[in-house]
Amino acid sequence: MIKKRAEVVVIGGGVIGCAIAYNLARLGCRDVVVLERNYLASGATGRCGAGIRQQWGTEMNCFLARESMKLFEEMNQLLAVKRDIELKQGGYLLLAFSEREMEQFEQNLRLQQSMGIPSRLVTPGEAREIVPYLNTAQVVGGAFCPTDGHANPFKVTQAYADAARKLGVKIYTFTEARDIKIAKGRIVGVDTSQGFIKTTKVVNAAGGYAGVIGRMVGIEIPVKSERHQILVTEAVEPLQQPMIISFSYNIYCQQTPEGTFMMGFGDPTEPESYNIKSSWQFLEEMARKATRLLPLLGNLRVIRQWAGLYNITPDRQPIIAHSSEVSGFYLAVGFSGHGFMIAPMTGQLIAEMILEQELTVELKLDLERFERGELILEPSVV
Amino acid sequence: MRIKEHPVLEFKRGKMIKFNYNGRELTAYEGETVAAALHAAGIKTLRKSTEFQRHRGLFCAIGNCSSCMMEVNGVPNVKTCLTRVTEGMVVAEQRGKGDLGALY
């Protein structure tokens, strides 16, 4: 039997939902329920590219990313993790294919360095010193941050879930939130596939299905879901330290600690949908793109491909906020493909918001910014 | 023992050729696979398991199981059970999961 009432109900058992639940419990609110329709990390979290980047173009994003990385670095101890989260800090190598892109990197770099993020500019030659088989024929230069990296999204989610459970949080998997009941403009409970839970506070952390949860309280959240695909090769001995990424060439590719190469790109023609099927078109285009930039990878076999949902906002920045329309409805949605890397800070901030504590950082990620036309201009999105 | 019949490949025995295995010169018949030639030469260990370094030899012999992957002419993870041996081919036991380092 599931609990009949809870102080907070978190909808979504991905890394965001589990991080929120853990932080609530850590800050003293232990009467928390997490609802997951499938199994933990079964949605966008477990399907993501697993990269952790601190090289951003706005002060807020640099702060969220830098502080999240600090938490990733200490996570094995902080959460008393049973199995290592597989953090690998091999860096992120951002490649520029035009002078204009390079100028943008320079501008971002000044901001990053002012905030203590150890990024630096590299010439094509220096990029080849970091990745010797990189084809720099069209590369103008790049930016490199040695402390960026990778962690295992399944293990990070599990670590947050285990730590949350230890503090009393109840996590119900294979339990779907079907409706959110409202009376006099306030939340009164959540109807689930296992019964009704009385509550006054609900967190929408439903990833690709954030829009569906929003409609349960009558809010039209400006997010759309879009399929993004990834493929992974067979494993070989460690060879490539950094994640290689380019916004203009449209690619990311990194070698996981296990030895496989994981890569993806964004298809600009991808329609809004909940489709998470793999396509042969992706396989061909991905292989072509990857072997042009990293010809050595042509010697590897592809062993698997999959897809997941990006939940995208108009400015490709998340909504981390309390709803102004429905009291008690909190949003941690619209991460637009970079939720995993800022999950540790997101968990902390939403918990602070719910417990009405002073926020660690001033956020401009409210839901109403789109209506006001105050979109966040972040130049470094994939 | 020499493998002469195979469930998915046809072994058309050609002339005697020489190839290199871990620095040793071995002979083979043109038309047979690398694994078959190694087997005939009494070499049963084709690779080691990546975690515990256990010996791994010819197992499925039809390209499914990864047990016979070796470095062939510098390329790791070649399925030697399906790859035909050629004159002067350089075959070596690979390091761990395979090393692409020799190729650049």
Side-chain angles (χ1 to χ4, degrees), chain A residues 176-294:
Chain A
E176 186 176 0
R178 288 184 171 161
D179 201 9
I180 300 168
K181 297 291 178 203
I182 295 182
K184 292 173 190 162
R186 294 194 68 91
I187 289 170
V188 293
V190 181
D191 200 13
T192 82
S193 53
Q194 307 291 328
F196 189 76
I197 305 173
K198 271 176 85 171
T199 188
T200 56
K201 296 185 177 92
V202 170
V203 184
N204 181 356
Y209 289 84
V212 177
I213 302 299
R215 283 192 282 278
M216 289 179 184
V217 296
I219 294 178
E220 205 53 53
I221 306 170
V223 286
K224 59 175 181 138
S225 289
E226 189 181 289
R227 173 179 69 169
H228 279 247
Q229 304 190 61
I230 292 182
L231 70 75
V232 65
T233 70
E234 62 190 326
V236 283
E237 291 295 311
L239 188 70
Q240 180 176 314
Q241 278 302 313
M243 168 81 99
I244 291 170
I245 179 167
S246 169
F247 305 119
S248 54
Y249 186 71
N250 187 7
I251 193 172
Y252 64 86
C253 172
Q254 87 167 326
Q255 190 178 21
T256 68
E258 188 203 342
T260 63
F261 283 77
M262 210 155 88
M263 59 193 83
F265 69 91
D267 180 352
T269 66
E270 187 68 42
E272 178 178 357
S273 79
Y274 294 108
N275 176 17
I276 50 165
K277 286 182 182 156
S278 297
S279 76
W280 59 264
Q281 290 90 341
F282 168 79
L283 182 62
E284 285 196 348
E285 179 68 9
M286 186 72 253
R288 195 184 61 76
K289 267 179 174 291
T291 53
R292 190 190 283 173
L293 191 63
L294 303 159

Side-chain angles (χ1 to χ4, degrees), chain A residues 132 235-237 258 299 301, chain B residues 69 77 95-98 103-104:
Chain A
V236 283
E237 291 295 311
E258 188 203 342
N299 293 294
R301 294 180 190 89
Chain B
M69 284 178 171
N77 292 327
R95 183 169 72 85
K97 294 173 179 174
L103 293 173
Y104 67 88

Side-chain angles (χ1 to χ4, degrees), chain B residues 1-73:
Chain B
M1 188 192 83
R2 186 146 233 134
I3 300 164
K4 291 172 188 145
E5 283 174 39
H6 190 278
V8 293
L9 297 175
E10 202 185 338
F11 283 19
K12 271 193 186 149
R13 180 176 287 191
K15 61 177 195 287
M16 201 73 148
I17 55 169
K18 288 180 179 140
F19 73 104
N20 187 295
Y21 163 74
N22 282 357
R24 279 162 65 188
E25 194 178 86
L26 295 180
T27 56
Y29 288 109
E30 214 170 47
E32 65 185 354
T33 62
V34 175
L38 290 173
H39 219 70
I43 292 152
K44 306 276 175 68
T45 299
L46 303 180
R47 71 176 299 181
K48 309 262 172 52
S49 70
T50 54
E51 197 171 345
F52 297 111
Q53 318 305 317
R54 289 174 176 142
H55 292 239
R56 291 287 178 263
L58 194 59
F59 181 62
C60 82
I62 54 168
N64 257 330
C65 75
S66 305
S67 187
C68 70
M69 284 178 171
M70 301 181 79
E71 197 173 289
V72 175
N73 295 333

